Amino acid sequence: MASSTSYLHISGISVDFSKSGQNIESAELRLRDEQRLFGPDLGSEETFHETFVPPMKLSRGDRFSLGLLCKRPFPWENQRQDIDFDTEEVFRTCDTHEKHGQAIIIITAQAERTASSSEESLLRPTKDEIFEMCPRFRILVIGKSGVGKSSLINKAFGVNTLVSDERRGETDINTEFISEQNDKFVLHESKGFEPGEGDNLEIVQQFIQQRRQMMVLKYQVHAVWLCFEISRTGGRVLETDTERFLKLKRDGELGDIPVVVALTKYDKFIDHVEHTLDYSPLKGWNEDAVEKYINQTLEAERDVFTRRVQEAAGSDIPYATVSTKDVHKDMIAHLIEITEERVRQHVASEASVLAGVAQLVDPKLNIMTSIEVDKRRDWDALASTAAFKGKTVQACLEVLHTNMIHVWNIHDPHHYLDSKEFKALVVDLVDKLDIGSIANPNRNM
């Protein structure tokens, strides 16, 4: 490591106890007076991994250690072990591999150099800056029990377990739910606006107002999904307090936080229409004609319902019809796209990037978000060549690689995509393309 390195950003740590025989309950990384506590990976008691957002800042000479809380069989109590790291070794290699007995510890760090020009800082991955400002997409989901809130969240953000199963009892809107399967979104949940329960409208309004006053983007609410089940015509479409909530939004009382109406359980609506449809006039029709008639009936009944929703919501509050069935996954993608667009327009571009990163149902949005992140700095710099002049091919690819794999938010608990082996394969692949040989990754651009 060059002497110009002034300090390091410690962005993550991985610990593998599978061959050590140790039974570790928790771990704590300590840097000066700062501590980061973390536990075992989902589905494993032998591997620990934690990504630090924001990164921990390590200077030369700092006390840097890992504390382990080890479980002991009865009658011994839990015992703490401390592992001190060689700071100079961390500075020398950045990616530090240490063995403590049979345990393997990997520290991931990124050098912060004293730049000789503004070009040097351009090699820092853009996603680092975005994730520091807004590490998670924060969403509030409102809806009565049974309307499909949990199923919608789990489908949209690619988690298998019901998010709301982590806590039973009364819903607390201030509780933050973060899934171990996808930590790029944080959920706040509220029950719907039940008849005669006006308190919940006030609770939701106060919560949104409090979050609006927070100056830091990552603590603000970035979007609200108001969920209720699409139904056949007849009867009241919206409860009184739901209409009042939409009016608060129309009148500007809730500020710029995007509200999107999600009409859930469209598949159930289809089943109900088909099962109650009078088929007697269709006798003698061919199969295509019958299917066309059914589809027209479905669209007509849906349009009647959605027009009534639009009347209550107004033109500035969009809606999307959704189903969590795989055959209708494009509907959830549409909901995500509407939400991301509104967040970009009314909240912040960084929050819209995290909306694209957090969702795991719309590959098109992943592609657009990845391009957006790279265009912010890296591709523009690459096109001009000035910012990459004198930089190694490896350094340039590292920036693009880091942006892409983190923006795509692929569940990679073993961190294969961040491994040196995978990066070597990427370099080898690029070398085979018709851009001239880069077989030497240390060659300058």
Side-chain angles (χ1 to χ4, degrees), residues 50-63:
E50 187 72 7
T51 300
F52 302 129
V53 180
M56 302 175 77
K57 184 175 176 180
L58 175 68
S59 300
R60 294 181 183 274
D62 283 342
R63 172 76 185 276

Side-chain angles (χ1 to χ4, degrees), residues 241-283:
D241 280 349
T242 301
E243 293 182 337
R244 289 174 59 195
F245 175 78
L246 292 172
K247 186 177 186 303
L248 287 172
K249 175 59 183 172
R250 292 198 310 271
D251 293 345
E253 296 295 323
L254 304 180
D256 293 332
I257 295 174
V259 174
V260 182
V261 174
L263 307 177
T264 61
K265 297 191 176 182
Y266 182 63
D267 53 288
K268 183 178 177 180
F269 169 77
I270 293 174
D271 291 342
H272 185 63
V273 172
E274 290 180 344
H275 290 157
T276 58
L277 188 65
D278 182 7
Y279 288 89
S280 57
L282 309 183
K283 291 181 179 179

